[in-house]
Amino acid sequence: MVLFAQRVRSIEPSPTVHIGDLIAEMKARGEKVLSLAIGEPDFPTPAHIVDAAKKALDADFTKYTPAPGIRELREAVAEKSQKENRIPAKPENVLVAPTKHTLFMTCMALLDRGDEAIIPDPGWVSYAPMVTLASARPVPIQAADDERFVPSADAVAEAITPHTRLLLLNSPSNPAGSVYSRAETKALADLAADHDLIVVSDEIYEKILYEGEHVSPASLDGMFDRTVTVNGFSKTYSMTGWRLGWLVAPAPLFKEISKVQEHTITCATAFAQKAGVAALRGPTAPLQAMVKEFRARRDVVLKELAKIDVLSTFRPNGAFYVFPRTDVKIDSATLCERILKEASVAVTPGSAFGAAGEGHIRISYAASRETILEGLQRIAEVVARL
Ligand code: PMP
Ligand code: GLU
């Protein structure tokens, strides 16, 4: 009998990754399934980015790079962070790695057994398992529909104990597409400063924004020194398979997190980093066109949902998700199973995102308008039978 470590026995496989794999298998078997499940842009990676990688491959840019990333990319990220996010980052503060891995390394570098990390609930499926893998305790802050699922400073204040080390924030958010206001961000940042916490700000949906402003906590007065900002190429440039992102951290945190990088992945893929430079320095037209289309699709989803009595939602201002409440008598996992079995439409149960997500489903509109319209119509038919 193999005995597995407590840390892996304490976590479950990723529900979003699992559903994605399942849909891919079903499609490979020739089954017709409409996917409104996975959070992955359905656009090609822009050609100038692909070309940069091809050029790098042809030039044999296929070896180890410096562990924190190639200089040009660290410079491009620092410049972007300064200009667009008002984060006082230098290239020396930038560590290049897959976004998911930046979060994991941050947890590994900052958390010990007995420590607590505050995470949003509902929140992205991997926050709690990453904290658990670092032997610490995730503390979910439940937020409700009428708060747009943004964790309130009051609820966070109540959850802080002498063991709290991290406060994880995510705007625009997964699964609800909520955008934290400047006031909400500031109130949360002030709490972190008052209680000497490190803020981990997951800004991967930064550019998928329709209304409101994106506020980076690290740009607020005095916050740079206690904030790890995480971002990446997956969503903004439709580069999920390239496995490329970055974190920005003040020198003392950067130094410790880098050790985890050096002993795990060494560096990010060399030629992908060249593509990253092209993405940050290249034309923004493909991104603008994608966001315009996402906005139009969001409006289509909202219009269709308004016709379904038992599915109600506020208007999300970012990301490519809506997270409607389901006024039905079955739990969200059973509902999603029935929607998949009876209508061949894949959506994600709200319970995957934490206890506060129960009674909701996540609809990803990173899918064609036809898929969205047909998928929502079929969902309407299933819920009408309940
Ligand atoms: N944060 C959030 C909120 C996400 O939804 C995702 C999933 N893409 C990630 C981080 C991880 O991103 P990546 O796939 O680029 O590692
Ligand atoms: N983040 C995306 C999602 O929530 C992709 C899968 C994952 O990494 O969780 O669907």
Side-chain angles (χ1 to χ4, degrees):
M1 249 288 275
V2 185
L3 275 185
F4 295 99
Q6 181 59 38
R7 71 178 73 83
V8 282
R9 283 188 284 137
S10 309
I11 62 170
E12 297 294 331
S14 162
T16 45
V17 171
H18 189 74
I19 293 171
D21 291 354
L22 192 75
I23 295 163
E25 274 168 33
M26 288 169 79
K27 284 187 172 164
R29 284 199 300 265
E31 290 174 40
K32 287 213 169 67
V33 54
L34 301 180
S35 176
L36 302 175
I38 191 83
E40 170 171 73
D42 55 317
F43 298 86
T45 304
H48 68 280
I49 301 175
V50 176
D51 285 344
K54 285 184 185 162
K55 242 196 218 150
L57 281 168
D58 285 339
D60 193 29
F61 198 73
T62 54
K63 307 297 189 311
Y64 291 132
T65 72
I70 58 173
R71 185 77 200 171
E72 316 152 68
L73 182 53
R74 297 175 78 200
E75 277 169 3
V77 171
E79 236 172 74
K80 176 246 178 288
S81 307
Q82 285 175 24
K83 255 207 242 145
E84 296 180 358
N85 307 101
R86 298 176 186 280
I87 299 175
K90 297 197 176 70
E92 292 69 33
N93 300 112
V94 177
L95 181 63
V96 176
T99 311
K100 213 178 250 194
H101 195 61
T102 65
L103 287 161
F104 178 67
M105 291 191 292
T106 303
C107 290
M108 292 303 278
L110 288 165
L111 296 171
D112 263 326
R113 186 172 300 284
D115 287 344
E116 293 170 3
I118 292 180
I119 59 169
D121 177 4
W124 180 45
V125 297
S126 290
Y127 296 140
M130 285 182 190
V131 170
T132 304
L133 285 172
S135 302
R137 195 166 79 82
V139 177
I141 300 297
Q142 301 204 340
D145 291 75
D146 58 7
E147 302 170 294
R148 299 163 11 261
F149 298 112
V150 176
S152 77
D154 285 348
V156 171
E158 244 173 70
I160 293 173
T161 75
H163 303 291
T164 312
R165 293 272 290 136
L166 291 190
L167 170 60
L168 204 144
L169 306 177
N170 172 220
S171 176
S173 79
N174 184 357
S178 310
V179 176
Y180 300 17
S181 70
R182 180 170 287 274
E184 284 164 340
T185 309
K186 171 129 186 16
L188 292 162
D190 286 349
L191 265 182
D194 289 349
H195 295 271
D196 200 18
L197 309 180
I198 302 291
V199 169
V200 179
S201 178
D202 180 349
E203 305 184 9
I204 196 156
Y205 295 102
E206 171 195 357
K207 297 288 184 189
I208 323 281
L209 182 76
Y210 316 117
E211 292 96 18
E213 60 170 333
H214 176 74
V215 182
S216 294
S219 69
L220 302 176
D221 240 13
M223 286 302 292
F224 178 71
D225 286 339
R226 59 171 70 257
T227 305
V228 178
T229 305
V230 161
N231 205 327
F233 296 90
S234 287
K235 318 286 170 174
T236 310
Y237 303 101
S238 202
M239 289 173 70
T240 46
W242 296 71
R243 311 309 303 132
L244 196 69
W246 68 82
L247 65 76
V248 172
L253 295 184
F254 176 90
K255 190 166 159 246
E256 297 307 305
I257 299 171
S258 291
K259 292 198 279 190
V260 186
Q261 167 109 323
E262 288 171 20
H263 287 298
T264 52
I265 62 166
T266 309
C267 61
T269 305
F271 47 89
Q273 293 188 53
K274 291 282 191 186
V277 176
L280 289 175
R281 301 257 188 232
T284 56
L287 165 64
Q288 281 160 8
M290 182 177 78
V291 174
K292 190 167 170 228
E293 174 60 20
F294 278 145
R295 180 202 299 265
R297 291 179 191 173
R298 179 208 50 185
D299 295 341
V300 167
V301 173
L302 292 179
K303 199 167 148 218
E304 292 306 304
L305 282 178
K307 299 178 193 162
I308 310 175
D309 281 350
V310 295
L311 298 182
S312 48
T313 177
F314 59 92
R315 188 168 79 152
N317 297 142
F320 32 64
Y321 308 114
V322 278
F323 198 59
R325 197 177 68 231
T326 57
D327 293 316
V328 293
K329 288 199 184 71
I330 54 176
D331 63 77
S332 60
T334 312
L335 176 61
C336 291
E337 228 178 274
R338 283 195 58 174
I339 293 173
L340 184 60
K341 277 204 187 121
E342 295 173 25
S344 296
V345 180
V347 289
T348 312
S351 55
F353 303 94
E358 185 49 276
H360 297 77
I361 56 173
R362 188 187 76 173
I363 295 170
S364 163
Y365 50 90
S368 70
R369 293 195 202 193
E370 301 77 67
T371 302
I372 291 167
L373 283 169
E374 173 72 25
L376 287 175
Q377 194 168 352
R378 292 195 204 169
I379 291 173
E381 284 162 16
V382 174
V383 294
R385 289 198 290 271
L386 294 173

